[in-house]
Amino acid sequence: KNKQRLQDVYKYIVENYPRKITLEEIASYASMNKTAFCLFFKKATNESFVAYLNVFRLQMACTMLTRSSKNISEICYAVGFTDIPYFNRAFKQRYGVSPTQYRASMRNAPQAEGQGICPGRPLPIMTTAGNYPAVVVRMSAKAGKSCVVARYARTIFILSS
């Protein structure tokens, strides 16, 4: 039941992230009160709903920065942020560069062959504990071996071939 409820919450986020989602709204959607929902979500994901939603929105911003020609403010509003300075601060805190610097670096960075893997790009990581929407933070290739380092919340994944 809780697994299905969490999947429903994830689906709701995907369908509604561009607009304001209140805790009351998502708790009601999950048929819970606000306090119970916050405890449920934190226990299931190890982060608060608001933190998860902001990370998801930032990942969507990364995708839009690399795939669209919209300006930064349009992308900010399109992914559900309502304050451009806050969006810029949150982006820089998460990725270490501003959205403008990120876009410039992604336009100049070669992507991994046929996989579309590059720093900042969302990358689903399958583990025995579940599927995590990780974000690539670094890539390298040496002596015919490739390595991708991805991050989800406080967990680091190292994928190598």
Side-chain angles (χ1 to χ4, degrees), residues 26 28 32 34-35 42 53 96 98 107 114 119 128 132-133 139 153:
I26 193 69
S28 175
M32 302 173 90
K34 192 168 98 169
T35 304
K42 179 86 172 186
L53 180 60
S98 71
R107 288 193 173 151
T128 55
Y132 295 91
M139 294 175 27

Side-chain angles (χ1 to χ4, degrees), residues 2 16 30 32 39 47 52 55 71 90 97 117-118 120 129 132 143 145 149 154:
N2 281 344
N16 295 284
M32 302 173 90
L39 290 170
E47 62 186 332
Y52 181 89
V55 168
N71 66 42
V97 293
I117 298 173
C118 59
Y132 295 91
K145 292 189 174 189
V149 178
R154 292 184 184 99

Side-chain angles (χ1 to χ4, degrees), residues 84-95:
I84 296 169
Y86 176 74
F87 168 72
N88 286 326
R89 275 193 314 275
F91 194 97
K92 188 163 187 170
Q93 182 179 14
R94 177 125 184 113
Y95 300 112

Side-chain angles (χ1 to χ4, degrees), residues 36-51:
F37 174 79
C38 288
L39 290 170
F40 157 76
F41 197 84
K42 179 86 172 186
K43 185 177 180 183
T45 65
N46 291 323
E47 62 186 332
S48 72
F49 174 75
V50 172

Side-chain angles (χ1 to χ4, degrees), residues 12-45:
Y12 191 85
I13 291 169
V14 170
E15 293 172 352
N16 295 284
Y17 75 90
R19 63 175 190 77
K20 182 177 180 176
I21 301 174
T22 65
L23 279 174
E24 290 82 5
E25 175 187 350
I26 193 69
S28 175
Y29 178 80
S31 303
M32 302 173 90
N33 68 42
K34 192 168 98 169
T35 304
F37 174 79
C38 288
L39 290 170
F40 157 76
F41 197 84
K42 179 86 172 186
K43 185 177 180 183
T45 65

